[in-house]
Amino acid sequence: MNVPAWVWAVTLTAMAVVLIIDLVIIGRRPHEPSPRESGIWVSIYISLALLFGVGVWLLAGPSYAGQFYTGWLTEYSLSADNLFVFVVIMGRFAVPRQYQQTVLLVGIILALVMRGAFIAAGAALITQFSWVFYIFGAFLIYTAINFAREGLDEESEDFKENILIRWSRRALPISPSFDGARLTTVHAGRRMFTPMLIVMIAIGTTDLIFALDSIPAIFGITQEPYLVFTANVFALMGLVQLYFLLGNLIERLVYLSKGLAIILAFIGVKLVLEALHENNLPFINGGEHVEWAPTIPIWLSLVVILGTLVIATVASLVKTAADDRKEARRKAAEAPEEPVLKA
């Protein structure tokens, strides 16, 4: 797929314009978006991604369009993992709801910058060393096992401040309270950083960790840097609104971790098979290609990923609904009986 420089320039410019509009809107009126407002924006971003895929289909063919859709869907599902941890971070640092939009938007900008760097590095590695697919595949399978064993709820509950956050708390003068969305404030006559800076550091380092999972995953779908980058952009751009749209619903997706584990394991196996098919390592099959290694078509990847997400979501909602009914019956059984008044 040959993408001219002007197409890259237009894409980056459009992305910058959208981010600037978001920053201006949020900066002028920090607020907690209503479900209706969030739903409208999420629908707009999803529609733009679908239209972009149609454009890829018309200009580059159905194969590349399928790669974009599959990559975007994979990144979008992994973004839900980000939301679980974001919820914990917001609660841990008691970020006021009306300023959470600003925190999330800054986090998305940081994620785009870091993922852009990882995409460039990953594309360069793949071009020079095809055996890197072995590493990517093994890493995804390892991550999938962790997802399956621990789950998102346990991962969120075990969230601990990393070394950078702990150092910032010790080394920087931090005010005891927030001052809007500002990073600095004057407290007791002294210029200090607000807790918002610590929150930004927590969000940024979390984005870095998630990029380590998502970039190998999408390279298992497509090796076209332009499609990898745009799939990440469209997956991240609606994340702020998705955060507020889902609200408490995100805690009800109890099987999402299992679904993501299946997706990551599938992509990891796909990467290993591709590495075997293109093998040139001398200690594997004498440096020759492994002919029996199949190539998994993009349509099958799309079916597996979409089907897994649908099944995990439906199963989660069914289980939580059943748990709610069970809890309601338990509370009703434990409730003291009202005394019967005799005439």
Side-chain angles (χ1 to χ4, degrees), residues 35 40 77 82 110 154 173 185 251 339:
I40 290 173
S77 62
N82 295 49
L110 292 174
E154 291 82 353
T185 188
E251 298 177 358

Side-chain angles (χ1 to χ4, degrees), residues 105-334:
L105 185 58
V106 172
I108 285 173
I109 294 173
L110 292 174
L112 285 171
V113 171
M114 287 186 286
R115 293 190 187 198
F118 277 124
I119 289 167
L125 283 172
I126 290 170
T127 301
Q128 297 295 323
F129 311 105
S130 60
W131 50 261
V132 78
F133 278 162
Y134 286 115
I135 298 175
F136 282 1
F139 179 75
L140 289 179
I141 294 171
Y142 169 77
T143 305
I145 293 172
N146 287 337
F147 266 72
R149 290 172 53 190
E150 299 175 5
L152 289 176
D153 290 340
E154 291 82 353
E155 178 184 338
S156 297
E157 292 172 1
D158 293 341
F159 172 80
K160 294 181 176 61
E161 296 183 2
N162 57 52
I163 187 171
L164 184 57
I165 297 175
R166 295 196 299 271
W167 176 86
S168 300
R169 284 187 180 278
R170 292 195 304 268
L172 301 176
I174 306 295
S175 66
S177 60
F178 290 90
D179 184 8
R182 298 180 180 89
L183 296 180
T184 63
T185 188
V186 176
H187 178 74
R190 182 186 177 194
R191 175 66 64 177
M192 305 178 73
F193 292 103
T194 69
M196 187 64 74
L197 176 66
I198 305 299
V199 176
M200 295 296 185
I201 293 173
I203 293 290
T205 51
T206 300
D207 284 334
L208 178 62
I209 294 171
F210 282 117
L212 295 175
D213 293 339
S214 64
I215 297 305
I218 194 167
F219 271 115
I221 303 298
T222 177
Q223 287 82 58
E224 295 293 336
Y226 183 75
L227 297 181
V228 172
F229 179 74
T230 51
N232 271 274
V233 168
F234 281 109
L236 289 171
M237 294 300 280
L239 200 57
V240 174
Q241 291 78 12
L242 187 64
Y243 173 87
F244 289 100
L245 178 64
L246 293 179
N248 294 330
L249 178 63
I250 194 169
E251 298 177 358
R252 302 176 70 84
L253 301 178
V254 293
Y255 290 131
L256 182 60
S257 61
K258 309 301 182 186
L260 292 178
I262 293 172
I263 291 172
L264 291 177
F266 171 78
I267 298 175
V269 171
K270 181 175 182 291
L271 278 171
V272 172
L273 290 175
E274 289 184 10
L276 289 171
H277 191 72
E278 303 292 333
N279 176 65
N280 55 17
L281 294 179
F283 53 86
I284 296 179
N285 198 38
E288 299 296 327
H289 305 325
V290 179
E291 297 299 333
W292 59 262
T295 300
I296 298 176
I298 196 66
W299 66 265
L300 181 57
S301 299
L302 183 58
V303 169
V304 169
I305 292 168
L306 184 59
T308 301
L309 289 176
V310 170
I311 292 172
T313 301
V314 172
S316 296
L317 297 179
V318 169
K319 182 181 187 303
T320 51
D323 289 344
D324 289 344
R325 290 193 296 269
K326 186 184 297 183
E327 180 66 15
R329 288 194 297 268
R330 185 189 65 80
K331 288 183 178 179
E334 294 178 354

